[in-house]
Amino acid sequence: MKKFVLVPDSFKGTMTSTEICELMERAIRRHFPEAQIISIPVADGGEGSVDCFLAAMGGEKISINVKGPYFKEMTGFYGKIGKDTAVIEMAACAGLPLVGDRKNPEKTTTYGVGQLLCHAVQQGCKKIIVGLGGSATNDGGCGAAAAAGVRFYNKEGIAFVPVGETLGDIAHIDISAAKKLFSGVEIVTMCDIDNPLCGTTGAAAVFGPQKGADTEMVFRLDLGLAHLGKIILRDLGKDIVELPGAGAAGGMGGGMAAFFDARLQMGIDTVLDTVNFDRQASGADLILTGEGKIDGQSLRGKVVIGTAKRAQTLGIPLVAIVGDIGDNLEEVYTQGVSGIFSINRIAAPFEKLKERSREDLYLTVDNLMGFLVQMEEK
């Protein structure tokens, strides 16, 4: 009996990773109806991450009232897997889609994310996975920290909850209450970028504009993050300014490391570790992965390459099913990728290809499976 493992990323704006797994499985079963198929849909830490983990591992989605990006009450959620593992996507209560056309990273907060973290701990979770994608914020994670009991004081000694525009007002940080609450809790933060906290490649400069910041606001936000980094170093003894990934999600990467002792880790590594990939994939005949476009960025450890490295260690061939294929990808074949196949069957603009992407992906996998059958019969 054949064994296949499916580990696709989503095709952004086209198909979710769960949809892709379903299409791949349907194509495989047409040729290998008795095959063992293990589906591990993957998200990058942003919107949909909780659903992907629950689809891969089972569990329950827990909904609670939290503060949204502008401190208004809303319903947030996280996933609970087993007795003691939680998965949180910050996009659930601090995501860009939640602010609509009211983008303003000087005023948005991650407070709700901290509320989700606290609730998970109160429910007995000892390991928490936090996805940082798709944020509307630039508060360095201070909102989440405040919700978890970290106290921020201004120069008058008054406690407040910092947002992007008030990071420069922080004069002192007291982390004692949060440290007690999260004692013995392992927090892993899914972070697929290596940007530092501030500077020309930092959170505000690189990601601020897409959150609504103009040039002057980017400058102010960057100064605030630099100030936050200095206070954290002085009061907490942690140097996060140049920490790779600290600039993720408006400085949330740095905040998670400083306030929660979180470990920053590539998203795909977090997923594969959590689902016990090496054990699940053992003995597989083929691993299918994929993403919307494979290019130079993929080599930095995204889903395809992260999965391929594991496959290579296990001695299992891996095929990438993708939309577009970039140039100069020879290196991917040294990283564990056996072959790359594009689903684009005609030359057409993206909007046209998007309309037929599901059918084209199915047909591509169907074609590959048909080839495998022919090879077996010879």
Side-chain angles (χ1 to χ4, degrees), residues 41 44 68 81 132 137 185 190 201 204 218 224 248 272 311 317 356 372-373:
D44 61 5
I81 301 168
L132 299 189
T137 56
V185 178
M190 295 171 68
T201 58
V218 165
L272 297 180
R356 50 181 288 162
L372 293 180
V373 171

Side-chain angles (χ1 to χ4, degrees), residues 173 175 179 228-241 257-259 261:
I173 302 173
I175 199 174
K179 199 167 185 178
L228 173 65
K230 291 178 182 177
I231 300 299
I232 286 174
L233 178 59
R234 186 196 68 195
D235 291 359
L236 309 184
K238 296 180 180 180
D239 188 358
I240 65 167
V241 173
F259 304 128
D261 284 325

Side-chain angles (χ1 to χ4, degrees), residues 8 27 33 39 49 52 57 77 94 108 124 143 148 177-178 191 197 242 269 284 305-306 311 316 318 362:
S39 293
S49 295
C52 283
M57 301 188 68
F77 63 86
T108 46
C191 178
L197 185 67
E242 296 297 332
D269 290 330
I305 298 302
I316 302 170
L318 175 140
Y362 170 81

Side-chain angles (χ1 to χ4, degrees), residues 111-122:
Y111 195 91
V113 184
Q115 291 176 296
L116 294 175
L117 284 162
C118 290
H119 193 272
V121 171
Q122 291 161 1

Side-chain angles (χ1 to χ4, degrees), residues 138-162:
N138 201 101
D139 69 352
C142 290
V150 176
R151 304 281 283 178
F152 297 90
Y153 297 94
N154 62 20
K155 62 183 180 181
E156 284 79 32
I158 300 171
F160 72 108
V161 179

Side-chain angles (χ1 to χ4, degrees), residues 70 96-104 211-212:
Y70 287 110
L96 203 54
L98 296 175
V99 302
D101 58 2
R102 296 175 57 231
K103 297 177 181 178
N104 189 339
K211 302 176 185 183

